[in-house]
């Protein structure tokens, strides 16, 4: 700033000084206006982000009526997260982050697996220095980006030359053809595995796969793909049978069932079949047996189907409160089966009473059950004996308090009221609910098997129904192998490719256990 004593006496110089000052003021006003605009846009984006965050939390943690179907709310989360990314991108476009040296990997981005092939590109500057000398390398910056090439088809051409001897008439010789799952057919075992995984793991129906192939000029009819899957299912059935037999040798299993609508051609409608899941997951107490699940299709939900599936099993069976499981006590030529019931189902009945209603009794019950689950959080990952000791010390006293509360609460309400019905359910299955206090291997709930059923439910939503009882049985069988792969962190496509290849090359039936997913992982 100039002071009066510093101003020039020349009029032209004064005018020039005024013009300069006016230009500076104008520039400052423009800068302030631009800054105000940036601040206003940022405030607008902040408001948008806050609304998106509220929507995100509602979709993730909101009431059941606000979340929609649990299998579908992920779609809402994806859209919300995408919208958030757009807002952040707008921020960066207006106010780019200041670069400080070489860019560093984003926190939480993860590390690209080492088994992926690397295609290197080198971006080198002009190595000739301005002085005429040649520059030499003193270091380098390396970055990795994930690149995806859409599914590529290739043709494996197998030539089998024929040989003959000119010196004698020993005949013509030729190397034998390699065995195939589809004799005389075009698919490799890897191709069949890809079709199976896309259908049963990625829930992509065969007609859509046919459309995808056609976009790359490979015209394969849906019926042809169905034939491939059916032939593979036939070859894989012994592996499924071995999986089911292996699980039934366990001393503790989970069991659950889920609807499986099946087309009934005679009536032009669907009938309700069921997938029965028999699962083992001993990871919570560091058990030695690998996790696994075997699905079996049955045309109904009657307990007799559970009885048939469980023939040969003896031990602890963890289930929900479905009355049909009581029939397993009638198994012949079998040791007694103990039924351990699920606290999650008991809790659910109380939880439903608290939705949109004032239910002090149910809320107190939920509070006490939550305390039991907190103890389980601390016990998870310990040995069965350690878990048992924790439960005897910490859970047993709380169970005694809960039982006193339960008996008193039942006298306060009508047995025909919703609250009375929920309390009656807990009392009815009490002995099975508290069985976890006597054995560290038992879980408080049957959530382990319910998690394995979720992909079945998603496939059911996409396919709506199975086309036939036989189709439902194939669905159950293949889903068993794929879900067991997931439980053991085995890549399903590699597994199915390896197993189908082994089978067509004459793998012996007596060694069928070698083809189970957890052995493939080894």
């Amino acid at each position: 700033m100039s002071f009066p004593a510093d101003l020039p006496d020349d009029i032209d110089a004064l005018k020039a000084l005024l013009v300069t000052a006016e230009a500076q003021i104008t520039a400052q006003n423009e800068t302030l206006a631009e800054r105000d605009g940036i601040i206003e846009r940022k405030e607008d984006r902040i408001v948008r982000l806050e609304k998106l965050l509220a929507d995100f939390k509602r979709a993730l943690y909101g009431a059941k009526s606000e979340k929609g179907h649990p299998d579908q709310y992920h779609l809402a989360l994806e859209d919300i997260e995408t919208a958030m990314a757009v807002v952040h991108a707008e921020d960066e476009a207006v106010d780019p982050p200041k670069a400080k040296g070489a860019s560093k990997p984003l926190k939480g981005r993860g590390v690209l697996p080492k088994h992926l092939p690397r295609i290197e590109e080198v971006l080198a500057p002009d190595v000739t220095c301005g002085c005429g000398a040649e520059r030499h390398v003193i270091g380098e910056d390396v970055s990795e980006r994930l690149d995806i090439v859409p599914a590529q088809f290739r043709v494996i051409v197998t030539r089998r030359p024929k040989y003959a001897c000119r010196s004698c008439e020993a005949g013509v010789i030729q190397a034998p053809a390699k065995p195939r799952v589809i004799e005389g057919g075009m698919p490799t075992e890897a191709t069949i595995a890809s079709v199976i995984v896309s259908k049963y793991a990625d829930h992509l129906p065969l007609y859509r796969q046919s459309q995808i192939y056609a976009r790359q000029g490979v015209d394969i009819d849906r019926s042809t793909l169905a034939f491939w899957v059916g032939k593979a299912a036939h070859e894989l059935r012994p592996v499924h049978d071995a999986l089911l037999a292996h699980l039934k040798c366990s001393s503790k299993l989970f069991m659950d069932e889920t609807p499986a609508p099946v087309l009934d051609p005679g009536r032009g409608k669907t009938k309700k079949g069921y997938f029965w899941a028999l699962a083992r997951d001993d990871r919570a107490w560091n058990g030695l047996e690998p996790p696994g699940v075997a699905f079996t299709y049955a045309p109904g939900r009657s307990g007799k189907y559970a009885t048939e599936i469980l023939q040969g099993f003896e031990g602890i069976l963890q289930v929900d409160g479905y009355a049909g499981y009581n029939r397993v006590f009638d198994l012949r030529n079998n040791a007694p089966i103990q039924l351990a019931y699920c606290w999650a189902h008991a809790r659910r009945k109380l939880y439903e009473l608290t939705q949109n209603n004032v239910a002090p009794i149910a809320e107190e019950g939920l509070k006490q059950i939550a305390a039991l689950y907190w103890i389980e959080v601390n016990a998870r990952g310990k040995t069965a004996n350690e878990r048992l000791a924790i439960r005897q010390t910490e859970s047993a006293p709380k169970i005694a308090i809960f039982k006193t509360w339960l008996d008193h609460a039942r006298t306060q309400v009508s047995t025909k009221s919703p609250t009375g019905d929920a309390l009656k359910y807990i009392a009815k299955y009490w002995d099975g609910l508290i069985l976890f206090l006597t054995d560290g291997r038992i879980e408080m709930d049957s959530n382990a098997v319910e998690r394995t059923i979720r992909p079945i439910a998603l496939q059911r939503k996409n396919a709506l129904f199975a086309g036939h009882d036989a189709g439902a049985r194939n669905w159950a069988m293949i889903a068993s192998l794929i879900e067991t792969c997931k439980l053991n962190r085995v890549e399903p496509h590699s597994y199915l490719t390896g197993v189908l290849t082994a089978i067509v090359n004459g793998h012996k039936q007596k060694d069928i256990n070698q083809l189970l997913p957890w052995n493939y992982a080894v």
Side-chain angles (χ1 to χ4, degrees):
M1 178 180 292
S2 298
F3 293 96
D6 299 327
L7 294 175
D9 295 328
D10 183 67
I11 294 178
D12 292 335
L14 281 171
K15 289 182 178 179
L17 188 61
L18 287 173
V19 170
T20 302
E22 185 178 1
Q24 290 176 346
I25 292 172
T26 302
Q28 289 176 355
N29 289 337
E30 291 176 352
T31 301
L32 290 173
E34 183 180 356
R35 185 177 302 170
D36 290 341
I38 292 174
I39 292 174
E40 185 178 347
R41 289 194 295 272
K42 282 192 173 183
E43 290 176 348
D44 176 63
R45 284 191 286 274
I46 289 172
V47 171
R48 289 162 56 195
L49 275 175
E50 288 176 344
K51 184 180 184 305
L52 288 169
L53 183 60
D55 292 340
F56 184 93
K57 289 181 177 179
R58 187 179 302 111
L60 190 59
Y61 304 114
K64 185 176 181 181
S65 60
E66 293 178 316
K67 288 193 298 185
H69 195 283
D71 289 335
Q72 299 296 325
Y73 86 97
H74 289 287
L75 297 177
L77 295 184
E78 291 173 7
D79 288 341
I80 292 170
E81 289 166 335
T82 301
M84 286 180 172
V86 170
V87 177
H88 288 305
E90 291 175 359
D91 269 339
E92 291 184 359
V94 174
D95 188 12
K98 296 180 180 179
K100 295 183 179 179
S103 60
K104 297 181 179 179
L106 296 176
K107 184 177 180 181
R109 187 191 69 171
V111 179
L112 295 176
K114 294 188 178 301
H115 73 271
L116 296 180
R118 261 65 175 174
I119 299 176
E120 294 195 359
E121 60 177 1
V122 179
L123 303 179
D126 186 0
V127 298
T128 302
C129 183
C131 67
E134 185 174 338
R135 295 184 177 96
H136 62 277
V137 177
I138 60 171
E140 65 177 359
D141 291 330
V142 179
S143 63
E144 292 189 341
R145 295 187 300 159
L146 181 63
D147 188 37
I148 296 178
V149 178
Q152 291 184 339
F153 294 90
R154 63 181 185 179
V155 178
I156 296 179
V157 179
T158 302
R159 301 183 186 277
R160 294 190 297 131
K162 299 178 181 180
Y163 291 86
C165 179
R166 292 179 177 176
S167 300
C168 65
E169 297 181 356
V172 177
I173 63 171
Q174 185 182 33
K178 289 184 177 181
R180 306 177 183 181
V181 172
I182 310 295
E183 286 297 335
M186 68 170 67
T188 64
E189 285 66 47
T191 300
I192 297 173
S194 178
V195 174
I196 291 174
V197 171
S198 294
K199 177 175 173 62
Y200 294 102
D202 301 328
H203 316 295
L204 196 63
L206 295 182
Y207 78 89
R208 292 183 185 169
Q209 294 188 52
S210 177
Q211 293 170 350
I212 292 172
Y213 297 165
R215 288 202 297 267
Q216 296 201 39
V218 180
D219 293 318
I220 302 177
D221 192 74
R222 174 195 50 77
S223 61
T224 301
L225 297 178
F227 174 73
W228 295 356
V229 173
K231 187 65 168 64
H234 169 74
E235 300 291 349
L236 292 170
R237 186 160 298 282
V239 185
H240 172 266
D241 294 341
L243 172 62
L244 182 59
H246 195 284
L247 292 178
K248 289 198 289 186
C249 291
S250 307
S251 59
K252 187 188 79 69
L253 292 173
F254 298 90
M255 196 171 198
D256 200 2
E257 79 289 336
T258 188
V262 176
L263 186 64
D264 189 356
R267 298 188 307 156
K269 300 179 179 179
T270 59
K271 57 184 179 180
K272 184 178 286 189
Y274 281 85
F275 286 136
W276 294 78
L278 197 62
R280 175 179 65 208
D281 194 344
D282 299 339
R283 291 175 292 181
W285 51 275
N286 298 322
L288 298 179
E289 294 293 340
V293 59
F295 297 101
T296 303
Y297 171 75
R301 198 189 182 197
S302 169
K304 70 176 183 179
Y305 298 115
T307 301
E308 293 171 359
I309 295 168
L310 289 167
Q311 287 293 339
F313 170 71
E314 52 187 57
I316 299 169
L317 187 68
Q318 191 137 19
V319 296
D320 57 25
Y322 171 50
Y325 290 116
N326 292 328
R327 291 193 59 167
V328 303
F329 292 127
D330 301 329
L331 289 174
R332 298 178 181 178
N333 301 321
N334 212 347
I337 289 179
Q338 287 182 288
L339 291 182
Y341 288 107
C342 174
W343 275 96
H345 282 77
R347 179 191 178 280
R348 192 172 303 157
K349 289 187 173 294
L350 294 175
Y351 176 78
E352 290 171 354
L353 296 174
T354 64
Q355 299 305 292
N356 303 321
N357 293 294
V358 177
I361 292 178
E363 289 174 355
E364 175 59 27
L366 290 174
K367 181 179 178 181
Q368 294 194 44
I369 293 174
L372 293 172
Y373 268 99
W374 273 115
I375 296 172
E376 290 301 304
V377 170
N378 296 328
R380 186 171 183 83
K382 293 180 170 59
T383 66
N385 290 335
E386 290 171 335
R387 280 157 57 100
L388 179 60
I390 292 173
R391 289 168 175 175
Q392 289 291 332
T393 303
E394 301 180 30
S395 301
K398 294 185 182 298
I399 286 290
I401 295 173
F402 187 92
K403 184 63 165 67
T404 301
W405 168 84
L406 176 65
D407 293 339
H408 176 71
R410 294 190 68 193
T411 65
Q412 305 299 307
V413 296
S414 168
T415 56
K416 296 182 179 180
S417 67
T419 301
D421 185 62
L423 298 178
K424 179 182 177 181
Y425 176 92
I426 298 175
K428 178 180 179 181
Y429 296 107
W430 183 254
D431 290 341
L433 286 171
I434 65 172
L435 198 60
F436 79 104
L437 295 177
T438 66
D439 194 324
R441 299 171 302 166
I442 301 175
E443 297 299 314
M444 269 192 67
D445 53 46
S446 57
N447 288 348
V449 66
E450 290 193 2
R451 285 191 292 269
T452 66
I453 286 178
R454 287 174 187 167
I456 292 285
L458 184 57
Q459 173 71 6
R460 184 173 64 229
K461 280 186 169 299
N462 285 345
L464 298 182
F465 50 80
H468 191 273
D469 283 343
R473 284 191 289 271
N474 290 335
W475 180 357
M477 184 267 295
I478 294 175
S480 302
L481 300 180
I482 289 177
E483 294 308 314
T484 300
C485 279
K486 293 179 183 178
L487 289 171
N488 290 275
R489 297 183 178 180
V490 174
E491 201 283 304
H493 180 269
S494 297
Y495 166 74
L496 290 173
T497 300
V499 168
L500 289 173
T501 301
I503 290 174
V504 298
N505 280 285
H507 190 89
K508 296 180 180 179
Q509 178 65 31
K510 66 182 183 67
D511 297 325
I512 195 69
N513 281 351
Q514 295 177 2
L515 299 183
L516 294 177
W518 51 77
N519 289 328
Y520 182 86
V522 174

